[in-house]
Amino acid sequence: MDQYGSLLSLAVLAVAFYFLLIRPQQKRQKEHQALMAALAVGDRVVTIGGIYGTVQHLEDDRVGIEVAPSVVIEVARSAVAKKLEA
């Protein structure tokens, strides 16, 4: 009977691990992928490095962001942390 208690506690621990760690990370990853797919020229964005700017051009894996008048930097598309509301 003691074996079943140990097995049950291990199963409860595995389920808790899934709901507290794995599932929220998967949700954040899906949201970030949706953001990457929805980027458009003219969007105000902030990068993971804290750089604010406006999307000027999009390529497959790169984004051109204007950070100052006539200053465009290229960053990896995955480096865009979030889209800012207008």
Side-chain angles (χ1 to χ4, degrees):
M1 203 59 169
D2 191 31
Q3 290 176 320
Y4 295 118
S6 298
L7 189 59
L8 181 63
S9 64
L10 185 60
V12 167
L13 186 61
V15 168
F17 183 78
Y18 174 77
F19 280 106
L20 293 175
L21 296 175
I22 296 173
R23 192 165 177 237
Q25 178 61 30
Q26 288 175 340
K27 183 179 176 185
R28 279 192 296 269
Q29 187 175 12
K30 280 184 180 181
E31 289 172 353
H32 192 255
Q33 287 174 347
L35 170 70
M36 297 298 101
L39 278 180
V41 173
D43 288 345
R44 295 269 308 148
V45 296
V46 62
T47 67
I48 57 176
I51 299 171
Y52 288 79
T54 304
V55 175
Q56 292 299 311
H57 63 85
L58 296 166
E59 295 180 20
D60 289 337
D61 60 344
R62 291 184 290 201
V63 177
I65 300 175
E66 184 177 36
V67 294
S70 301
V71 179
V72 178
I73 62 171
E74 281 194 6
V75 297
R77 190 180 273 247
S78 60
V80 176
K82 67 181 176 177
K83 184 175 160 181
L84 301 173
E85 297 301 320

